[in-house]
Amino acid sequence: METTETTQTGSTPFPNIPPVIESNDSEYRDTGVPSTVAIAGHPLHPLTVIFPIAFLAAALGSDFGYWLTRDFFWARASLWLIGLGLAGGILASAIGLSDFLKIERVRKRAAGWTHLILNVSILVLSLVNFLLRLGDAESRIVPWGLLISLVVGTLTSASGWFGAELSYRHKIGVVGGGSRRYP
């Protein structure tokens, strides 16, 4: 039975948003490509990105807190949050890289390459931001630390969009019975 959305547009009812880069209707109907790193069939990459995203977003907030108050607490919090975001990001990127290298469908999609490039950029900028503050957490926040945190936050949002494109539009890293090459 078709939904109203399907009848009006002539295509599948999901996702009901235009693709940013590309779309392949046949991928909506197939079983999806399972992740190469999973526990009991549950992909680990989406699980491991939660903390680095939260830590790096909180670092942006604590940078703003320091900018507004000049309280050293916020400088120290930013240093720790960036360090934890970087460490968690390295773990998440190792898992994501495994999927990228072992799943052909990821490498065939522009969203896969965009997601990879954005995440490498986020890790490099976070490392620079961490090293910049390591000797003197307080004096390096304004303006460069804050600016880098703002860029990292923006890139993280864009990367998340493309990660969702891979999961929801192209069915990569989902619980499914498809081939790791290309179902």
Side-chain angles (χ1 to χ4, degrees), residues 68-135:
L68 294 172
T69 67
R70 302 291 185 204
D71 185 341
F72 181 70
F73 166 81
W74 295 115
R76 183 177 26 204
S78 290
L79 179 66
W80 276 94
L81 288 165
I82 292 167
L84 290 169
L86 183 60
I90 290 169
L91 174 64
S93 67
I95 294 169
L97 187 61
S98 174
D99 281 347
F100 183 84
L101 295 173
K102 293 181 180 179
I103 300 173
E104 184 178 351
R105 186 184 281 190
V106 179
R107 293 186 312 275
K108 285 188 170 194
R109 297 286 163 252
W113 285 96
T114 305
H115 187 64
L116 173 77
I117 291 166
L118 287 171
N119 287 335
V120 168
S121 301
I122 290 165
L123 285 176
V124 168
L125 286 170
S126 294
L127 177 62
V128 167
N129 207 4
F130 183 74
L131 294 175
L132 179 73
R133 300 162 188 245
L134 196 53

Side-chain angles (χ1 to χ4, degrees), residues 8-31:
Q8 290 174 355
T9 63
S11 66
T12 57
F14 54 91
N16 194 19
I17 55 173
V20 172
I21 295 181
E22 63 194 329
S23 185
N24 184 339
D25 284 340
S26 68
E27 291 173 355
Y28 294 151
R29 295 187 231 22
D30 71 27
T31 60

Side-chain angles (χ1 to χ4, degrees), residues 63 66 70-72 74-76 129 132-146:
D63 280 353
Y66 176 78
R70 302 291 185 204
D71 185 341
F72 181 70
W74 295 115
R76 183 177 26 204
N129 207 4
L132 179 73
R133 300 162 188 245
L134 196 53
D136 183 8
E138 197 169 8
S139 70
R140 305 288 173 86
I141 291 178
V142 179
W144 297 111
L146 180 61

Side-chain angles (χ1 to χ4, degrees), residues 31-38 41 43 99 103 171-180:
T31 60
V33 182
S35 176
T36 61
V37 183
D99 281 347
I103 300 173
K171 290 188 179 178
I172 297 168
V174 298
V175 177
S179 160
R180 286 205 172 105

